[in-house]
Amino acid sequence: MLFLIFSFFFLHAAAADISKPGCPSKCGDVPIPYPFGINSSCSLNPFFSVHCDSSFSPPKPFLTVDSLQIAHISDSTMHLKNRVAVNCYTDPSEPPRVIQSFMNLSASPFSFSSSNKITAVGCDDVAFLSRDFDDWSDMISSCVAICSKPGELHGGSCSGIGCCEAAVPEGLQSVYVSMETINEHDKVRNFSSCGYAFLAEAGGYGFNVTDVWDPLFVGRVVESVPVVVDWVIGERSCARVGETVCQGNSVCVDSGSSLGGYRCSCSPGYQGNPYLSPGCRACEHNVLKNRLQSPLYSEI
């Protein structure tokens, strides 16, 4: 009985310890852990402020930086809803439908993770990744997706036939994803009139043969294939920052990124949110073990 009581207490204490006192811990279904917070009074600084848009049901959280929608926040990364570049050549007598994708985190403590891949889906398409609109002199990465008939396509692999992917360097704070067609989809228009390009976490997107002609493909990518973003505190390393925001029973950890900055981590044997006062708590099983081994409980 005592074990169940203490388990209940510590589990609920840990669950509550993610946001500043008096601040919402969730926006809709998405937990918002400090140093992030809903509105500036609940966050470490304005960069970590989250706008919780209640016009949606349930409400949806957005970064104030470029209004990117948040899907999940962990202790070192965020998963953001995607933006997809599109080139469609449905009618040869009409201009193509072109949508370009730009995401801008400049001057913030956020950067696009190198765990992302530039990914293209289509049969007559080249995807390009650069730092700014139409800046071909600053090309970062590219890949080509081709095919000539549906029978050549095989699900599961982005090997260049119907789907391709290429590496993304670390430290990028703005990404411009654009597309070019090889032959305006002229020879494949009957089954693949559009090409698509987006960032995706390695292993986060699995190619399906129907993706090259599925009219709902863009919506599926936006909702289910997130972009990974790294986050840090400030621009200085632990040694250079002087006083950190790390609270009790936690340590400062350098980000290892070319952009600098640090994060806080609970010391071994402790758990909780290292950014919130009074700091990390002893792990539940250690506390329970010590309590149950005390003379008080040995007599019960």
Side-chain angles (χ1 to χ4, degrees):
M1 176 63 72
L2 287 171
F3 182 85
L4 292 175
I5 292 172
F6 285 122
S7 294
F8 178 86
F9 171 79
F10 281 103
L11 285 172
H12 281 261
D17 264 359
I18 71 166
S19 59
K20 287 178 69 175
C23 292
S25 60
K26 282 186 173 184
C27 175
D29 300 327
V30 181
I32 308 296
Y34 191 79
F36 295 86
I38 297 173
N39 301 320
S40 57
S41 62
C42 291
S43 62
L44 176 65
N45 60 46
F47 288 121
F48 291 90
S49 178
V50 173
H51 171 58
C52 187
D53 192 339
S54 59
S55 67
F56 296 95
S57 182
K60 295 182 179 182
F62 294 84
L63 285 178
T64 55
V65 181
D66 202 19
S67 299
L68 290 159
Q69 186 181 342
I70 301 168
H72 176 71
I73 302 173
S74 76
D75 59 359
S76 61
T77 64
M78 286 184 287
H79 284 73
L80 304 180
K81 296 288 187 176
N82 225 318
R83 293 178 180 174
V84 182
V86 180
N87 266 13
C88 282
Y89 294 82
T90 307
D91 187 341
S93 65
E94 298 287 337
R97 179 168 67 94
V98 178
I99 301 173
Q100 298 166 335
S101 167
F102 183 61
M103 293 179 280
N104 188 8
L105 302 173
S106 297
S108 78
F110 312 135
S111 61
F112 294 94
S113 173
S114 59
S115 66
N116 293 304
K117 302 282 189 181
I118 174 68
T119 306
V121 173
C123 284
D124 191 57
D125 301 284
V126 185
F128 298 100
L129 178 67
S130 60
R131 287 183 176 87
D132 208 349
F133 288 103
D134 293 324
D135 187 356
W136 301 105
S137 65
D138 193 24
M139 193 64 56
I140 299 168
S141 191
S142 179
C143 74
V144 179
I146 58 172
C147 76
S148 59
K149 55 187 177 182
E152 295 177 347
L153 301 170
H154 300 283
S157 174
C158 280
S159 59
I161 305 301
C163 175
C164 68
E165 60 183 21
V168 173
E170 66 97 14
L172 294 178
Q173 291 196 284
S174 62
V175 291
Y176 173 58
V177 179
S178 58
M179 301 199 73
E180 292 290 334
T181 178
I182 298 170
N183 196 34
E184 298 186 349
H185 285 243
D186 182 56
K187 297 181 180 180
V188 296
R189 188 177 293 118
N190 63 327
F191 69 93
S192 174
S193 60
C194 296
Y196 312 94
F198 49 92
L199 292 187
E201 183 177 15
Y205 166 69
F207 175 61
N208 293 310
V209 171
T210 56
D211 290 347
V212 300
W213 59 76
D214 183 0
L216 302 178
F217 179 68
V218 171
R220 287 198 292 109
V221 171
V222 170
E223 289 302 316
S224 63
V225 184
V227 178
V228 183
V229 168
D230 297 325
W231 65 267
V232 297
I233 305 296
E235 300 175 346
R236 296 182 178 181
S237 66
C238 298
R240 294 183 57 206
V241 74
E243 185 177 353
T244 72
V245 299
C246 302
Q247 302 297 307
N249 303 314
S250 69
V251 295
C252 181
V253 180
D254 288 335
S255 71
S257 165
S258 60
L259 298 176
Y262 68 90
R263 286 184 288 267
C264 303
S265 179
C266 289
S267 301
Y270 292 83
Q271 63 186 2
N273 189 327
Y275 301 95
L276 283 175
S277 178
C280 301
R281 293 191 173 105
C283 290
E284 175 192 342
H285 66 275
N286 289 338
V287 175
L288 289 173
K289 180 179 178 181
N290 292 337
R291 285 179 180 259
L292 294 173
Q293 288 178 344
S294 73
L296 173 64
Y297 294 111
S298 64
E299 295 174 3
I300 297 177

